[in-house]
Amino acid sequence: MQSNNIKNSEIIKFYKKNQTQRLDIVRSFANLNDLEIQKLKQFNSLNFTCANRMIENVISIMPLPLGIATNFKINNIDYLIPMAIEEPSVIAAASSAAKIARKSGGFIASSTESLMIGQIQLTNVKDLSFAINQIEKNKKEILNQVNQCDSILISLNGGAKAIKYRIINTKKQTMLIIHLIVDVKDAMGANIVNTMVEKISPFLEKLTNSVSILKIISNLPVYRIAKSKAVWKKELISEKIIQRILDSYQLALHDPFRCATHNKGIMNGIDALAIATGNDFRAIEAGAHAFACLTNKYQPLTKYYLDENQNLVGEIEMPITAATIGGITQTHETAKICLKILNVKTSKELAQIMASLGLAQNFAALRALVTDGIQKNHMKLHSKNIAIAAGASEENVDAISNMMCKQNNISISNAKELIENYANK
Ligand code: MEV
């Protein structure tokens, strides 16, 4: 098998190729077999039995388009990135940001160990220092008990590693919140962490003479952080645009109304990759936005500044609970294929790709916003949806959407009028 570092994800005009040509490229890039190609080609990788095993009351499935972002080089490895998303422009934008970034070496990414937090809420605590003291004295025993929950995780050097405390004052009482810090390795971690905190809470109640209420994972995993950085050269994007991007970034820094949209653009990329790989994108979203206001002021997840040569440097830092095992990552056929396309070895590597994709997405959105605005391109791509919504048939959808673009009037009413004219021709 070809090793990843000699692969080239810079694929000229991928968007102009047909489905078979695109699949051929992905097949040879990722060494996909005939069955995998067939599954992708047939658009039917989730059958009723499989779906019915995942959730309750299944009646059908809700498919999303799966596309490929090209041009990504992250830590010197080329990646084709699968993205499941319904919004036009997102994949093209990420690919174009990655294309410029690779001219200066691509993305440099890193991530911490996969440490998740399990919370146990102890209420009616009579004596806080006695309670903390008791837990400290029995720490070894506590870690030992919870680590019996998953022998495979322990054999991989994962498992519960530490205990931390938070004291939360409410009107009614002061509560002691125990944080169990668990290295979940390549899993998302909710199952193992929740099992551990539920198991240990009766022991903690007894030790501390308290009543435990909530025992659940925290979706703000501040010890499971991914970072990425890229440089966009001034000669490739212009000094004027760089200045405008920096000005636009200032608005996100100082205004939560803009910052929410700024961060939403980042999550366009991260969520699309999370969905493609069968990851829990709601958990990643929750962590991202909670992290963004950890200082009590909602902040952008990225930052931008100039390097010594006046090039634009972008950085992202955020918690990412990416998994390469567990959940549906290995039971959903498409998720399995997407992980194979990425050829990721660990959840840490997947988190680094997500962070880099989020940064690329953010840069691309800012660049579009400070130049043409996003509507021009976006509406061009969206014009086909509008034509269909207005009643265009498969046969005339392209013609109607082209006419709307030419007239610079992309709307349902115009589409309806054009469809009528078309029919009467
Ligand atoms: C649209 O889905 C995302 C953007 O609004 C992000 C941004 O404004 O930075 C374009």
Side-chain angles (χ1 to χ4, degrees):
M1 188 182 143
Q2 223 184 6
S3 106
N4 224 356
N5 55 7
I6 52 164
K7 290 178 178 177
N8 185 1
S9 67
E10 193 171 22
I11 294 158
I12 314 294
K13 298 212 161 66
F14 189 72
Y15 64 95
K16 287 222 160 148
K17 307 202 183 293
N18 63 32
Q19 190 202 6
T20 307
Q21 292 167 327
R22 290 176 193 163
L23 280 172
D24 280 346
I25 291 169
V26 178
R27 177 209 285 261
S28 66
F29 187 92
N31 254 317
L32 298 186
N33 59 38
D34 289 348
L35 193 62
E36 288 159 338
I37 290 294
Q38 199 186 330
K39 280 178 182 157
L40 291 176
K41 210 163 192 170
Q42 286 175 350
F43 283 75
N44 68 352
S45 58
L46 188 59
N47 59 28
F48 177 79
T49 316
C50 205
N52 204 39
R53 257 199 308 265
M54 284 176 196
I55 62 162
E56 315 73 42
N57 302 355
V58 170
I59 55 160
S60 186
I61 54 166
M62 170 65 201
L64 284 173
L66 178 70
I68 291 285
T70 55
N71 304 325
F72 275 84
K73 189 184 273 300
I74 303 167
N75 294 339
N76 234 4
I77 299 175
D78 275 39
Y79 293 96
L80 288 180
I81 304 185
M83 298 174 73
I85 188 163
E86 87 299 347
E87 186 175 329
S89 308
V90 170
I91 296 179
S95 305
S96 96
K99 188 172 183 171
I100 312 171
R102 69 184 284 133
K103 298 271 188 283
S104 28
F107 297 81
I108 304 299
S110 62
S111 47
T112 60
E113 294 306 315
S114 305
L115 296 172
M116 295 301 289
I117 300 168
Q119 289 197 299
I120 301 161
Q121 176 193 21
L122 297 180
T123 62
N124 298 359
V125 186
K126 311 266 165 349
D127 183 340
L128 274 175
S129 30
F130 167 80
I132 294 176
N133 212 2
Q134 281 291 88
I135 296 175
E136 280 297 298
K137 267 208 262 176
N138 290 278
K139 203 174 192 164
K140 245 190 169 165
E141 170 63 17
I142 296 167
L143 294 178
N144 196 26
Q145 276 196 35
V146 293
N147 280 335
Q148 280 163 19
C149 293
D150 189 336
S151 56
I152 296 179
L153 187 60
I154 303 305
S155 71
L156 296 170
N157 208 20
K161 301 287 177 190
I163 295 174
K164 293 183 189 268
Y165 308 94
R166 278 169 68 76
I167 293 166
I168 301 288
N169 290 308
T170 68
K171 267 193 187 147
K172 190 174 158 197
Q173 61 175 307
T174 297
M175 298 180 289
L176 177 60
I177 314 303
I178 310 302
H179 279 189
L180 186 68
I181 315 297
V182 185
D183 187 343
V184 299
K185 294 290 171 192
D186 292 322
M188 185 269 182
N191 279 338
I192 182 61
V193 170
N194 292 340
T195 305
M196 285 178 169
V197 288
E198 282 187 10
K199 174 175 177 175
I200 203 62
S201 66
F203 185 54
L204 296 186
E205 281 183 329
K206 229 190 257 164
L207 275 180
T208 58
N209 194 17
S210 65
V211 178
S212 74
I213 302 190
L214 294 181
K215 309 118 190 153
I216 187 77
I217 196 165
S218 167
N219 285 125
L220 175 54
V222 289
Y223 311 115
R224 194 175 187 175
I225 298 292
K227 294 184 190 178
S228 186
K229 179 177 174 178
V231 175
W232 286 279
K233 283 191 179 162
K234 65 172 187 287
E235 51 276 22
L236 299 176
I237 48 172
S238 98
E239 283 179 62
K240 185 175 158 208
I241 290 176
I242 290 181
Q243 278 312 321
R244 287 177 150 231
I245 289 177
L246 290 171
D247 286 345
S248 78
Y249 173 61
Q250 285 300 314
L251 181 59
L253 262 180
H254 292 98
D255 176 25
F257 289 90
R258 169 58 203 158
C259 193
T261 324
H262 179 102
N263 286 343
K264 189 269 183 184
I266 294 170
M267 300 314 291
N268 272 346
I270 295 177
D271 285 347
L273 174 53
I275 294 170
T277 51
N279 269 274
D280 182 346
F281 65 96
R282 286 91 53 212
I284 302 176
E285 279 279 346
H289 295 288
F291 187 74
C293 52
L294 212 51
T295 56
N296 286 335
K297 185 177 175 218
Y298 188 68
Q299 291 284 277
L301 294 163
T302 50
K303 63 178 175 200
Y304 291 93
Y305 55 91
L306 295 177
D307 70 7
E308 61 286 0
N309 301 315
Q310 311 301 302
N311 298 315
L312 183 69
V313 185
E315 288 185 25
I316 187 167
E317 176 174 353
M318 59 182 285
I320 300 187
T321 45
T324 51
I325 60 166
I328 59 158
T329 57
Q330 284 152 343
T331 51
H332 191 297
E333 291 299 335
T334 311
K336 276 200 302 192
I337 298 173
C338 288
L339 283 168
K340 185 167 173 187
I341 294 171
L342 287 167
N343 192 23
V344 281
K345 311 281 180 304
T346 61
S347 66
K348 285 167 65 176
E349 187 183 350
L350 181 55
Q352 291 168 16
I353 301 172
M354 286 186 183
S356 305
L357 180 58
L359 176 60
Q361 210 70 68
N362 183 229
F363 164 81
L366 296 183
R367 183 167 177 240
L369 288 167
V370 304
T371 51
D372 284 345
I374 60 158
Q375 280 313 82
K376 196 170 149 200
N377 215 10
H378 191 83
M379 288 310 280
K380 217 158 94 192
L381 290 163
H382 195 48
S383 61
K384 286 192 185 151
N385 286 335
I386 302 236
I388 288 170
S393 65
E394 274 307 321
E395 243 167 57
N396 62 16
V397 61
D398 283 343
I400 301 295
S401 104
N402 285 341
M403 281 190 267
M404 285 195 291
C405 291
K406 248 196 205 145
Q407 295 170 347
N408 206 11
N409 180 2
I410 302 168
S411 63
I412 295 263
S413 54
N414 191 29
K416 281 194 171 151
E417 215 170 282
L418 289 168
I419 294 167
E420 223 177 273
N421 293 344
Y422 209 70
N424 296 332
K425 250 205 231 163

